Amino acid sequence: MEADAQVIVEKRGGAGIIRLNRPKAINSLTLPMVRDLFQALQRFEEDAGVSCVVLTGEGDRGLCAGGDVRIIHDLGKAGDPQVLDFWREEFPLNYRIARFGKPYIALMDGIVMGGGVGISAHGSHRIVTERTKLAMPETGIGYFPDVGGSWLLPRAPGECGTWLGLTGNAVTAADAIYAGFADYLVPSDRLDGLVQDVSQAADTASIETVITARAVEAGEGVLSINRDIIDATFRFDTVEEIVAALSARQDAFSRETLEVLQKRSPTSLKLTLKLLRLGRESASLIECLEREYAAGTEILRQHDFYEGVRAALVDKDRNPRWQPARLEEVREEDIAPYLAAHSGNLFPDHRL
């Protein structure tokens, strides 16, 4: 595999190693990378000599900062019909990871956001480190947690997933484990040895022994410490009620959370909450991915995603001008088109 490839695939002993290789972009995913990942998984699943897959990211900043939304922004602004190709292939990749037939070991070192969560948190063995910063930050760019976020987030304890999805705040290793996005905390200086040992492990039990031997206690994080407040304020089914509950409290955590929500896209907040509540009642990951794809299709027809990416990544003024700008201006009928029935496009061979 060429060293300048965006995804480096190699076999080391019994391990199939997949290395994301866009370190300057914190390994943000492009469509060719999604395709390379899918093909690598197919190859390793069919190879009887491969006992597990290890996913890692090159560079020292993180596993993956998400999908390259700047590319999606530019294609969408240009009206390019290929703009949906990324999600059309990324979401089946997320599902393949969730259903992968061998241990899938994701090394979630450093930044793991958005699409980076999609290629790690659906795996069987999710390893975070003391450097992990995990987030689904999409409401800050006029989007919503996708890549199966509407399946994963509602399955976090209590309303922790609602807090994560609406605020978009980054959390640490302890929180990632508490929320069910990761399994083990392994110090970053032990990862090389871990990879070396799992490449020599013969079966799943041996792989788990290798991992647990290097794992340490995660301790408490923001979510567990503030669980009572999160459950009390985020249990509602409208964003207005959540905001009112936070506004009625005087503690620092509630005030800080409220300040964050006030900066997010009002449309994204309402759409995200709807998707999370629907995801809570959904029977399968596929059902959530299909719904997310429909919502993403509508997002590209509207204002806030382009404005959010402009403010964050194009002009970088960090001052998005949302339309509508206030929660009360976002009506139920404005959200309805995002949730229109839209099944069978991504997974025609599966029943929802």
Side-chain angles (χ1 to χ4, degrees), residues 3-23:
D4 59 352
Q6 292 186 343
V7 176
I8 299 173
V9 180
E10 59 188 349
K11 189 173 171 181
R12 192 179 307 168
I17 311 293
I18 302 175
R19 294 154 51 199
L20 306 182
N21 190 34
R22 292 186 72 207

Side-chain angles (χ1 to χ4, degrees), residues 116-193:
V117 173
I119 58 171
S120 57
H122 292 297
S124 60
H125 297 72
R126 295 89 47 93
I127 297 173
V128 286
T129 76
E130 77 285 357
R131 296 169 4 101
T132 297
K133 297 294 182 185
L134 181 143
M136 299 295 285
E138 289 84 358
T139 58
I141 59 165
Y143 191 54
F144 61 88
D146 64 348
V147 298
S150 64
W151 173 260
L152 293 168
L153 290 165
R155 284 154 183 81
E159 297 297 338
C160 290
T162 312
W163 182 89
L164 285 166
L166 292 184
T167 66
N169 283 351
V171 295
T172 62
D175 293 306
I177 293 172
Y178 185 79
F181 283 74
D183 306 297
Y184 308 94
L185 169 57
V186 175
S188 56
D189 61 4
R190 300 182 186 180
L191 293 181
D192 287 345

